[in-house]
Amino acid sequence: MSGTEPPMQIDTDARTYRYYRHAVEKHWDPHEIDLTADRAALADLDEVGFEGLKRALALFGAGEDAVAEDLAPLSVVLDDFEDQLFITTQLYEEAKHADFFDRYWREVIHPAEDDRGAERSSPADERWFSDEYDELFERNERAMARLLDDDTPENRAKAYSHYHMTVEGILAQTGYYGLTRQFDTDTYPDVPHLPGLVEGLTSIRSDEGRHVGFGMAKLKELVESERVDASVIEDTVGELLPLVQASIPDYESDEPGIEPNELVEYATSKHGQRMQQITAASDAIPDVDELTALGD
């Protein structure tokens, strides 16, 4: 900045500044979550259920690793300082999510495998990941990287549609919803309760709600300004949905628990609500506290 330019002034009324402040105020540390009870509880989970849990954790952990890396191009092309403030918090939070899943595998899954006399597994093992899962994240990476070479309104809409609407808004949010309900004692009392996992996922889901809200707000700006037609969003998400459906892990176990059709209904309902809020002039993007509330 030259000496003749005024100092940077933050627009404290900007939506994305409020998202930034909300992230600061809702800070949590993945290493402060007590995981002690989870290891003992896993002894009561049948073998099929244990394998299903490991697959889900591997998928979510790898997903958080990928999105933490793929978000960087957006931080380069965004113009508004308030947007950049928010993106710094999202990058930080994606890193925290990856840290939580890595810690859970080392401090809960590995000891539980030791207790069962099983060989220790790796969350990076290729057996956890389908071709569709890999393709989904490869497409997300390409959509985000394209902004560095061709930053057009349509390419921004496609990037938000890949990252915020699909990977975070459908795949991650639906998966976290299902896993939280599965291991929350208030939902299925007969399934082993994993309080550390539920606490971590609850914090992650709150963060993701804020991230999805940011993407929705930017998409609504593009649609309302008529720089992008709403069909770009619908078409992009529609092309990715088969990959999402093939990527969401079915929780297979003889234990009672969440049914796949409940996850489908949840994902469909949430996506419909978000598209209505983005495309309808009479609808507004929910306030940040609503986006991060977990009353659903």
Side-chain angles (χ1 to χ4, degrees):
M1 182 176 71
S2 71
T4 59
E5 293 178 345
M8 180 79 69
Q9 292 293 298
I10 297 174
D11 180 1
T12 57
D13 293 326
R15 175 185 292 272
T16 48
Y17 175 76
R18 298 198 300 273
Y19 286 5
Y20 156 77
R21 283 301 312 167
H22 193 272
V24 172
E25 293 161 5
K26 300 297 182 181
H27 169 81
W28 60 281
D29 183 347
H31 284 255
E32 290 183 351
I33 295 174
D34 186 357
L35 303 178
T36 307
D38 290 41
R39 174 180 171 179
L42 283 180
D44 296 325
L45 191 64
D46 65 42
E47 197 60 37
V48 174
F50 186 45
E51 285 297 302
L53 172 63
K54 288 194 289 185
R55 179 170 182 263
L57 293 174
L59 290 170
F60 295 139
E64 295 293 350
D65 290 351
V67 295
E69 296 173 358
D70 297 342
L71 186 62
L74 197 58
S75 66
V76 174
V77 301
L78 286 173
D79 300 317
D80 292 342
F81 185 57
E82 294 76 22
D83 289 353
Q84 293 177 0
L85 286 176
F86 172 76
I87 287 296
T88 62
T89 66
Q90 184 170 352
L91 282 164
Y92 171 57
E93 287 165 352
E94 303 296 5
K96 285 200 302 182
H97 302 172
D99 188 13
F100 173 76
F101 286 113
D102 178 76
R103 179 185 174 223
Y104 200 89
W105 203 280
R106 286 184 288 103
E107 297 185 18
V108 179
I109 298 300
H110 279 163
E113 290 172 330
D114 294 344
D115 292 343
R116 292 169 183 252
E119 182 180 353
R120 287 191 171 189
S121 60
S122 168
D125 195 308
E126 291 184 1
R127 69 189 173 104
W128 307 119
F129 310 105
S130 66
D131 291 340
E132 292 86 355
Y133 179 92
D134 291 339
E135 175 66 17
L136 177 64
F137 281 92
E138 287 169 5
R139 291 195 192 185
N140 183 63
E141 180 181 9
R142 291 197 297 268
M144 298 299 293
R146 191 178 299 121
L147 296 177
L148 299 176
D149 299 319
D150 190 16
D151 181 22
T152 65
E154 182 168 319
N155 282 341
R156 282 203 188 190
K158 289 179 178 179
Y160 292 129
S161 296
H162 275 78
Y163 192 109
H164 297 86
M165 293 292 287
T166 305
V167 170
E168 290 196 310
I170 299 178
L171 178 64
Q173 288 275 42
T174 301
Y176 293 146
Y177 165 81
L179 204 59
T180 301
R181 284 179 59 80
Q182 183 71 30
F183 292 105
D184 185 342
T185 190
D186 294 333
T187 308
Y188 299 106
D190 296 328
V191 175
H193 180 40
L194 304 178
L197 179 62
V198 170
E199 181 180 346
L201 291 179
T202 299
S203 294
I204 291 171
R205 288 177 65 200
S206 179
D207 290 345
E208 298 287 5
R210 188 166 49 247
H211 302 170
V212 173
F214 172 82
M216 290 172 62
K218 304 312 288 183
L219 285 168
K220 191 172 184 70
E221 289 176 9
L222 291 169
V223 171
E224 286 188 334
S225 65
E226 298 184 349
R227 285 176 289 168
V228 170
D229 190 85
S231 63
V232 173
I233 308 169
E234 283 284 23
D235 291 347
T236 302
V237 175
E239 290 173 4
L240 298 173
L241 277 179
L243 298 177
V244 172
Q245 291 167 349
S247 299
I248 295 177
D250 291 332
Y251 181 76
E252 298 176 352
S253 175
D254 294 333
E255 304 280 2
I258 195 165
E259 297 293 333
N261 65 317
E262 182 180 345
L263 296 180
V264 172
E265 291 172 4
Y266 176 85
T268 301
S269 172
K270 286 296 180 183
H271 178 63
Q273 290 174 14
R274 290 169 186 149
M275 284 303 303
Q276 175 72 14
Q277 290 159 351
I278 290 169
T279 60
S282 60
D283 283 26
I285 304 299
D287 179 81
V288 64
D289 287 317
E290 295 179 70
L291 289 165
T292 56
L294 302 177
D296 50 11

